[in-house]
Amino acid sequence: MLPMQQPLLLLVPVLLFSVIASSGPALAADEGAATYIVYLNPALKPSPYATHLNWHHAHLDSLSLDPSRHLLYSYTTAAPSAFAARLLPSHVAELRGHPAVASVHEDVLHPLHTTRSPLFLHLPPYTAPSPAQGDAGSSDVIVGVLDTGVWPESPSFGDAGMGPVPARWRGTCETNATDFPSSMCNRKLIGARGFFRGFGAGGGNGSHVNTELSSPRDHDGHGTHTASTAAGAVVADASLLGYAHGTARGMAPGARVAAYKVCWRQGCFSSDILAGMEQAIDDGVDVLSLSLGGGSYPLSRDPIAVGALAATRRGIVVACSAGNSGPSPSSLVNTAPWIITVGAGTLDRNFPAYAKLGNGETHAGMSLYSGDGLGDDRFPLVYNKGVRPGSNASKLCMAGTLDAAAVKGKVVLCDRGGNSRVEKGQVVKQAGGVGMVLANTAQSGEEIVADSHLLPAVAVGATSGEAIRTYVESDADAEVVLSFAGTAVDVQPAPVVAAFSSRGPNRQVPQLLKPDVIGPGVNILAGWTGSVGPTGLTIDERRPAFNILSGTSMSCPHISGLAAFVKAAHPEWSPSAIKSALMTTAYAVDNTGSPLLDAAAGGSANGTATPWSFGSGHVDPVKALSPGLVYDTSIDDYVAFLCTVGGASPRQVQAITGAPNATCQRKLSSPGDLNYPSFSVVFGLRKSHTTVRYHRELTNVGAAGSVYNVKVTGPPSIVVSVKPARLVFKKAGDKVRYTVTFKSTAQGGPMDAAFGWLAWSSVDGDHEVRSPISYTWGM
């Protein structure tokens, strides 16, 4: 989520756990101690230890540590044989020298990262199954959401018309939480758990966990928003204080929701996320949604990647947000090939507001302000009126920087950045200002994120912001009229890639193109907590049932829900087949028929987006139900990929995959040779390295007798040959391989990049299986 601020996302590396934990919290007070995740090689577990827990206890006993005080989690499902414990540096050094220890990594704290979406995505109307249908269709699909918990009273989690919970479900609701009795769950919200040992240990004494109570209840709002986006029930007359009014529903409104609280207001620890992922796997979820992520780590050190691989092995689709660090290049996270990495785009809806200046100029912007407004009256407009002359902090409207005497009764122009957008409004209001114009700087470009400010406020893009600054700095009697126009739909162009959405190229594995797809992630309406107001500020006493947020945290649950939508139609498909269907049917044009634009480039015609920002394109869920062909990737393929990318020894590969026979004897010719629905071609700088060859295999999920022809588009300086150029599938389920050779006829530099497409079109005209191609030189 963009917490009413500049791009943020719920970022965290992680793994999973077998819900075996110490009986009491680990002692964070041990001087010099910290929490570490220790990965053991399961092939080296001594036979006298009946369970992994016994083995983990033995390791702590060997360090003269009491497992009941120092062991936080014992993982088995997702990170086979790993455990999290409070350790001193001397313990870590000793463990790293043990032959059974593959690696040891310190626990890390990370910050956190709809009424229109279903229509924009052309989803069919949802009709609840009749009692005679029982659990037919999507009601059998279970979406697990790892986030800040859930607000069970939200109407998005009503279970009207839903049949019994699937018999295979092994999860539950917490029974030891005073503010979340198990009766809060129902046939829609079928599971809710909280994980806080890592966070409590990392906080010194766990006292700040008590302020939110160790329960799955969401006191932040982020988790309720993401869960209801993915699979919220149909709710009529939904809005945020009148904005975005309509019928709200999740992407898979018939699916069940299981909430795993692994993040708190102060952030999320890897060990807790790991525990939540493992519990979700053991509970029996079908889809995992993680609007979170960590830094850019090698895959063997990335707990989310390791946990997601274990989930994929169990047939669980895993979707993660790409990050909110755009438009910086190579800012992606969650780039493992078994994860659906999700970027963000806009909807065809906005919330227009206007700043009419005294010089006659009118600048269009956006706002979610819901109060009485300022009418048609003109008010003085001021800028940089600080208590400390010469300081630029007042331009940003930072706390305590505005001169109350200079801003009282006036509208204040504030630059974006430095503090949260809604906090700027609070600062202006507390200083006596009556309104605010929030101006983007060049860094934010023309992308405007709407907020439910506490005072009349209009947010404008960088171009308008510069014009308004020029006006107010040149006219001592500057004036402005602020007006608000509610909700507008059918906005063009849309979608546009969000400026904050993290970009490629993929720094960890340049031969793997990421993100995979984009989905709606700007100004998304979804369920909200009853614990805080829409701004999240402590002085905000409003308690709407829905809120509007932006971020890749919002686009991720769209894709998670759509994965559930596809899985309901094709329960036999593998996670990689579902991902392939979403990718190869995505589109790269907006609702004007033009190539997708990038908001970071101002949304102008020369700001065309590239696959480094949108991957395969914007999802088209209805087409994904019938992709024709899919790139189906096996777990063995992923293990070979891990062995190929480097950075992980066979011992570490065994530890993170739980496969004792993973000796890395099988490797790919290149990481780009993985059977993946997109291509990232890295040419060498030397002439002998101008040719790259990849292999792919397509599986027919369409009709028997299907025939496809290939078409390649791209820069003329790159010659692409595909053999065979025609694929014939005699029956459904047939697999056919092809080889594609890329040859660069011109030398490129390390900063050069080019893009193209490879598409297989069925001769009957029913299917086009498209893959983006990125080209770089010597990265």
Side-chain angles (χ1 to χ4, degrees):
M1 168 182 73
L2 290 163
M4 326 321 164
Q5 152 92 334
Q6 38 229 339
L8 264 194
L9 124 138
L10 195 76
L11 292 178
V12 259
V14 43
L15 278 186
L16 342 181
F17 107 133
S18 175
V19 199
I20 302 172
S22 59
S23 57
L27 293 186
D30 293 346
E31 187 174 354
T35 301
Y36 291 85
I37 299 175
V38 182
Y39 296 85
L40 304 179
N41 189 334
L44 299 181
K45 183 174 79 70
S47 55
Y49 299 120
T51 67
H52 287 88
L53 180 61
N54 298 142
W55 193 22
H56 300 161
H57 277 202
H59 274 283
L60 294 177
D61 288 338
S62 71
L63 299 172
S64 300
L65 296 176
D66 180 358
S68 68
R69 296 174 62 239
H70 292 270
L71 180 66
L72 275 69
Y73 296 110
S74 179
Y75 311 107
T76 59
T77 303
S81 303
F83 65 89
R86 297 289 293 176
L87 303 171
L88 293 169
S90 58
H91 302 143
V92 174
E94 191 170 341
L95 283 171
R96 283 176 172 154
H98 195 287
V101 175
S103 58
V104 184
H105 307 301
E106 188 170 359
D107 205 4
V108 182
L109 179 69
H110 301 279
L112 291 172
H113 271 192
T114 88
T115 49
R116 188 67 181 173
S117 298
L119 184 62
F120 185 67
L121 293 167
H122 306 294
L123 285 169
Y126 173 71
T127 302
S130 67
Q133 290 177 290
D135 287 333
S138 64
S139 60
D140 270 340
V141 180
I142 302 166
V143 180
V145 181
L146 274 72
D147 214 296
T148 62
V150 66
W151 191 261
E153 296 89 350
S154 168
S156 293
F157 305 117
D159 64 353
M162 299 201 73
V165 175
R168 63 184 174 83
W169 175 243
R170 299 180 295 275
T172 186
C173 277
E174 296 282 6
T175 58
N176 60 345
T178 57
D179 72 337
F180 202 116
S182 58
S183 59
M184 289 288 186
C185 284
N186 56 25
R187 292 182 175 187
K188 161 61 79 174
L189 180 62
I190 64 174
R193 299 176 184 262
F195 302 87
F196 55 88
R197 293 181 182 276
F199 188 65
N205 58 13
S207 61
H208 49 288
V209 171
N210 296 332
T211 64
E212 293 189 38
L213 304 176
S214 353
S215 90
R217 183 168 289 279
D218 179 14
H219 293 280
D220 178 87
H222 192 276
T224 301
H225 199 280
T226 56
S228 59
T229 299
V234 177
V235 182
D237 295 322
S239 74
L240 168 60
L241 305 173
Y243 284 98
H245 182 269
T247 298
R249 52 161 282 191
M251 299 300 99
R256 320 289 177 143
V257 174
Y260 299 86
K261 183 174 181 176
V262 298
C263 296
W264 307 75
R265 286 178 177 173
Q266 293 87 344
C268 333
F269 271 101
S270 299
S271 57
D272 293 331
I273 304 170
L274 166 115
M277 290 184 79
E278 178 151 307
Q279 186 64 66
I281 293 173
D282 289 343
D283 285 348
V285 303
D286 300 297
V287 178
L288 269 176
S289 184
L290 291 88
S291 289
L292 49 84
S296 182
Y297 302 103
L299 296 179
S300 61
R301 293 188 52 198
D302 184 344
I304 288 180
V306 177
L309 181 59
T312 303
R313 185 187 296 273
R314 296 288 189 93
I316 299 169
V317 182
V318 182
C320 297
S321 41
N324 294 340
S325 299
S328 299
S330 297
S331 51
L332 289 160
V333 296
N334 295 321
T335 59
W338 46 88
I339 289 172
I340 305 177
T341 308
V342 185
T346 63
L347 288 171
D348 61 343
R349 176 187 67 194
N350 62 28
F351 309 100
Y354 303 93
K356 183 176 181 180
L357 307 182
N359 62 4
E361 295 179 358
T362 297
H363 294 272
M366 274 200 274
S367 181
L368 292 171
Y369 175 69
S370 59
D372 293 334
L374 300 175
D376 296 328
D377 296 337
R378 291 187 177 190
F379 284 83
L381 177 64
V382 296
Y383 178 57
N384 196 21
K385 298 298 182 182
V387 294
R388 290 184 291 275
S391 171
N392 286 329
S394 62
K395 293 182 178 179
L396 296 170
C397 298
M398 304 290 285
T401 63
L402 295 181
D403 182 353
V407 304
K408 185 177 181 180
K410 301 172 183 177
V411 174
V412 181
L413 174 64
C414 300
D415 290 342
R416 186 171 168 182
N419 56 346
S420 76
R421 299 184 304 271
V422 291
E423 184 184 350
K424 295 176 189 294
Q426 178 183 357
V427 170
V428 171
K429 185 174 183 178
Q430 290 176 337
V434 297
M436 176 178 69
V437 176
L438 178 58
N440 280 6
T441 60
Q443 182 178 6
S444 302
E446 298 305 315
E447 179 178 77
I448 306 172
V449 179
D451 296 299
S452 183
H453 289 282
L454 295 173
L455 83 172
V458 176
V460 298
T463 301
S464 290
E466 185 58 32
I468 298 172
R469 286 186 204 96
T470 300
Y471 165 64
V472 73
E473 289 178 331
S474 63
D475 189 339
D477 297 317
E479 293 180 318
V480 66
V481 177
L482 302 183
S483 59
F484 307 91
T487 303
V489 295
D490 297 321
V491 172
Q492 294 181 335
V496 174
V497 178
F500 59 76
S501 190
S502 289
R503 315 300 169 92
N506 184 347
R507 182 178 300 169
Q508 289 302 321
V509 185
Q511 298 87 350
L512 184 67
L513 178 58
K514 289 282 185 169
D516 293 313
V517 291
I518 61 171
V522 178
N523 297 328
I524 303 301
L525 181 85
W528 190 242
T529 177
S531 186
V532 297
T535 63
L537 299 171
T538 56
I539 66 170
D540 190 350
E541 298 181 352
R542 299 170 296 177
R543 295 295 183 269
F546 294 85
N547 199 6
I548 293 173
L549 301 177
S550 297
T552 56
S553 282
M554 283 62 255
S555 56
C556 173
H558 277 86
I559 305 309
S560 307
L562 295 178
F565 172 73
V566 175
K567 189 173 182 66
H570 301 285
E572 76 283 3
W573 283 8
S574 69
S576 62
I578 292 173
K579 176 167 70 170
S580 175
L582 291 168
M583 290 175 64
T584 61
T585 58
Y587 57 89
V589 295
D590 59 32
N591 55 6
T592 71
S594 302
L596 291 178
L597 298 179
D598 190 336
S604 58
N606 61 356
T608 302
T610 74
W612 280 353
S613 62
F614 60 68
S616 295
H618 193 283
V619 288
D620 186 333
V622 176
K623 283 190 176 180
L625 294 177
S626 180
L629 307 173
V630 295
Y631 293 89
D632 205 357
T633 312
S634 70
I635 292 295
D636 288 343
D637 293 334
Y638 290 138
V639 172
F641 174 87
L642 272 174
C643 292
T644 305
V645 297
S649 65
R651 177 173 76 166
Q652 290 174 318
V653 171
Q654 290 173 352
I656 63 181
T657 62
N661 59 346
T663 59
C664 286
Q665 290 185 345
R666 180 200 169 199
K667 293 185 178 182
L668 306 175
S669 61
S670 158
D673 216 25
L674 181 70
N675 195 39
Y676 208 71
S678 60
F679 298 87
S680 179
V681 180
V682 181
F683 294 114
L685 291 175
R686 293 177 297 175
K687 191 172 184 179
S688 59
H689 289 175
T690 57
T691 299
V692 173
R693 182 173 291 109
Y694 289 154
H695 304 85
R696 293 291 189 270
E697 180 182 78
L698 282 163
T699 301
N700 182 26
V701 293
S706 295
V707 179
Y708 288 79
N709 293 318
V710 73
K711 180 181 179 181
V712 180
T713 58
S717 61
I718 297 173
V719 177
V720 182
S721 62
V722 181
K723 295 183 179 180
R726 184 180 180 90
L727 303 181
V728 179
F729 299 87
K730 295 181 179 179
K731 61 182 183 301
D734 272 1
K735 298 177 182 291
V736 178
R737 294 178 60 84
Y738 69 91
T739 301
V740 54
T741 303
F742 307 92
K743 183 175 181 179
S744 175
T745 60
Q747 290 297 303
M751 303 302 293
D752 293 334
F755 303 93
W757 296 89
L758 184 152
W760 290 98
S761 300
S762 62
V763 295
D764 61 10
D766 289 343
H767 301 289
E768 185 179 53
V769 184
R770 288 203 339 149
S771 296
I773 310 170
S774 69
Y775 301 100
T776 53
W777 286 260
M779 290 185 65

